[in-house]
Amino acid sequence: MKGKVELTGMEFHARHGCLEQEQLVENLFIVDFAGTYDMEAAAASDDLKDAVNYAAVYDIVADEMSRSRKLLEHLCGSIVKRIAESLPQLEIFSVKVSKQRPPVDGIAAWSSVTIEWPYEQ
């Protein structure tokens, strides 16, 4: 019984970016997670030990968001690696990190990076 668990719209104010100003002034970031795993045991038992605990996902994301990074790719990759290590029951998952008002020469509401696991070889 495959199913998908999602934790979307996680909001953080953080200092990620290559420009000096981005390292000094917090910006709004949104992180979205979606993962697939066998939910048969959780569906039958109604016990958290048989499920993917999305609170654990949030804790990993919050910890990684608290560490200033230059690239969204590096930040997103760090989150993905930790989730993969901590929640091996996930068969497939993705993490999307979005940054509000990226510093471009024009109007852009958001920039985003999405990494899917397992990585395509």
Side-chain angles (χ1 to χ4, degrees):
M1 181 184 303
K2 302 279 188 221
K4 183 182 279 190
V5 59
E6 298 178 81
L7 191 58
T8 60
M10 293 177 269
E11 293 187 17
F12 301 92
H13 288 87
R15 295 179 176 99
H16 303 294
C18 291
L19 302 178
E20 184 178 344
Q21 183 70 8
E22 294 177 291
Q23 295 288 318
L24 298 173
V25 178
E26 289 184 345
N27 194 357
L28 176 63
F29 292 81
I30 303 293
V31 180
D32 298 311
F33 162 83
T36 301
Y37 72 103
D38 184 347
M39 294 185 174
E40 189 165 354
S45 72
D46 196 28
D47 192 327
L48 183 58
K49 72 174 177 51
D50 294 324
V52 168
N53 184 348
Y54 52 77
V57 171
Y58 183 89
D59 290 344
I60 290 168
V61 172
D63 183 56
E64 291 297 326
M65 291 300 296
S66 71
R67 304 171 193 206
S68 182
R69 309 287 172 59
K70 291 181 181 175
L71 298 177
L72 290 182
E73 292 87 345
H74 182 72
L75 172 62
C76 193
S78 296
I79 294 168
V80 166
K81 286 176 188 172
R82 287 199 44 204
I83 291 173
E85 292 168 359
S86 299
L87 300 166
Q89 66 271 47
L90 288 166
E91 297 171 10
I92 301 168
F93 70 89
S94 66
V95 174
K96 178 180 179 181
V97 178
S98 300
K99 174 182 186 173
Q100 190 175 45
R101 292 183 304 278
V104 296
D105 190 20
I107 298 171
W110 295 91
S111 61
S112 300
V113 168
T114 302
I115 296 179
E116 297 176 353
W117 186 94
Y119 305 115
E120 293 291 323
Q121 299 287 345

